[in-house]
Amino acid sequence: MASSSHEAMHRIFQKEPGVFGRAFRALDLPFPEPTAVSIMPTDLTETTPLERRVDTLLRFDTENEGSFLLAVEAQGRRDRAKPASWAYYTSYLHAKYQLPTVLLVTCQDKSTAVWAAAPYSVGPAHWPMLTLRPLVLGPHNVPVITDVRAAAQDIPLATLSAITHSKDANADAILKALAAALKTIDRENAEIFSELTEQGLANSPALKTWRELVTVELSFFRSETSQRLRAEGHTEGRAEERAESVLRTLKHRGIEVPEAVRKRIVDCADLETLAAWVDLSYTVKSAEELFADYDD
């Protein structure tokens, strides 16, 4: 229930969890090497009718320093309601699993990354009860990988670099290095990382460059698969699911939904707008408040 770029920004950690530690070594934040990594359930829904889901949740087991949870959230823009949700996720996961919890936020623009990294405190200013300090990956700290050899040595990190820097001046060089590096690995993984890259570049000028590189250099790429993923029926189905999620959440919270509001939600076909409304549906005080940022 999110845009393709949103999906790619956290799914890459499902495909290759080790990219988490490698990305942060450059920031002098060394995490112990895991001996095992498990994909955890992402459903944080309570027994009461309130649905909350983290994008990706992983459990890292290490040899000497125990285990910890990594919750990954892909954030496309500033959202004043998100820090409270992130604080909830972190506290809930710690309480449920009794494990240290790390929140990682991935962003594709520096301003959003800087905003996401700011500490968020719960409680009065003179006595904060909880302070959230997310780890953030964005254009300001993810390495720019334009060397083919470096890209081939770490395909997942090179993919993350391509997605994160999709709006940078270096985007074409990063994509060319990644395309060349994908030729050095097996077909199945090359197809997976090709698809993740295409999803992550959605709605960016770099997407055209990537498709041209795929067509010319990556003959193994299954264009039919991508076409099916972007097919109109698939998009319509996801839009309907998101609209239903918004209406269901508002209903469970006891918020009245006028017919005009219901129609606007159901008729909306823009997946990113619907994703924003899904997030807002947990916090708004009236149904009309969903549209506050869209009716200026």
Side-chain angles (χ1 to χ4, degrees):
M1 296 180 64
S3 66
S4 58
S5 59
H6 177 103
E7 291 293 313
M9 287 293 283
H10 69 85
R11 276 187 55 214
I12 192 171
F13 292 92
Q14 296 179 15
K15 174 60 184 172
E16 177 49 55
V19 74
F20 165 71
R22 297 195 295 273
F24 275 94
R25 286 195 194 99
L27 305 181
D28 294 325
L29 292 172
F31 282 79
E33 286 293 334
T35 56
V37 177
S38 308
I39 297 179
M40 305 287 286
T42 60
D43 191 344
L44 308 185
T45 307
E46 297 177 323
T47 54
T48 54
L50 179 61
E51 183 178 310
R52 293 183 186 270
R53 292 180 184 271
V54 68
D55 287 337
T56 285
L57 180 62
L58 303 170
R59 172 176 171 148
F60 284 70
D61 300 317
T62 69
E63 185 173 359
N64 299 317
E65 299 184 39
S67 303
F68 67 94
L69 299 178
L70 175 67
V72 185
E73 283 280 288
Q75 191 65 26
R77 63 188 180 105
R78 298 187 184 199
D79 182 347
R80 63 180 181 274
K82 271 295 182 179
S85 295
W86 294 337
Y88 172 87
Y89 297 160
T90 306
S91 298
Y92 177 89
L93 290 169
H94 177 74
K96 180 175 181 177
Y97 294 104
Q98 294 296 299
L99 288 173
T101 302
V102 177
L103 173 65
L104 170 63
V105 181
T106 59
C107 307
Q108 288 179 285
D109 66 90
K110 184 176 179 180
S111 63
T112 301
V114 171
W115 164 81
Y120 174 77
S121 295
V122 176
H126 63 281
W127 196 273
M129 300 299 297
L130 174 78
T131 299
L132 181 74
R133 296 175 59 245
L135 294 175
V136 177
L137 288 176
H140 64 302
N141 60 7
V142 170
V144 174
I145 300 178
T146 57
D147 179 73
V148 176
R149 183 177 300 178
Q153 289 176 346
D154 198 333
I155 296 290
L157 187 59
T159 303
L160 183 64
S161 177
I163 294 171
T164 304
H165 294 283
S166 62
K167 301 175 184 177
D168 292 4
N170 293 310
D172 286 1
I174 298 172
L175 293 176
K176 289 177 182 177
L178 176 59
L182 288 178
K183 295 179 181 180
T184 68
I185 63 175
D186 64 277
R187 172 174 174 167
E188 181 179 356
N189 277 301
E191 288 177 346
I192 290 172
F193 285 107
S194 293
E195 187 63 38
L196 278 172
T197 302
E198 176 150 347
Q199 291 179 5
L201 297 177
N203 301 320
S204 74
L207 178 59
K208 180 180 178 182
T209 300
W210 180 246
R211 286 177 174 169
E212 291 173 351
L213 287 168
V214 164
T215 300
V216 174
E217 298 194 33
L218 305 179
S219 59
F220 55 77
F221 185 72
R222 298 175 182 173
S223 58
E224 296 86 355
T225 300
S226 293
Q227 291 170 4
R228 285 200 300 272
L229 287 174
R230 295 189 296 271
E232 183 177 349
H234 177 78
T235 301
E236 290 179 355
R238 295 180 66 189
E240 290 176 2
E241 290 177 0
R242 293 186 187 184
E244 290 173 2
S245 179
V246 174
L247 295 173
R248 185 170 59 251
T249 301
L250 293 175
K251 179 181 178 181
H252 286 164
R253 294 184 60 218
I255 294 178
E256 182 180 354
V257 181
E259 185 57 33
V261 173
R262 180 183 299 275
K263 186 176 187 304
R264 181 170 178 180
I265 294 171
V266 171
D267 289 348
C268 181
D270 184 82
L271 294 179
E272 291 194 3
T273 297
L274 285 165
W277 290 348
V278 169
D279 292 338
L280 289 171
S281 65
Y282 298 123
T283 58
V284 294
K285 296 180 181 179
S286 69
E288 291 83 358
E289 194 176 334
L290 287 172
F291 313 135
D293 293 336
Y294 299 87
D295 294 335
D296 294 338

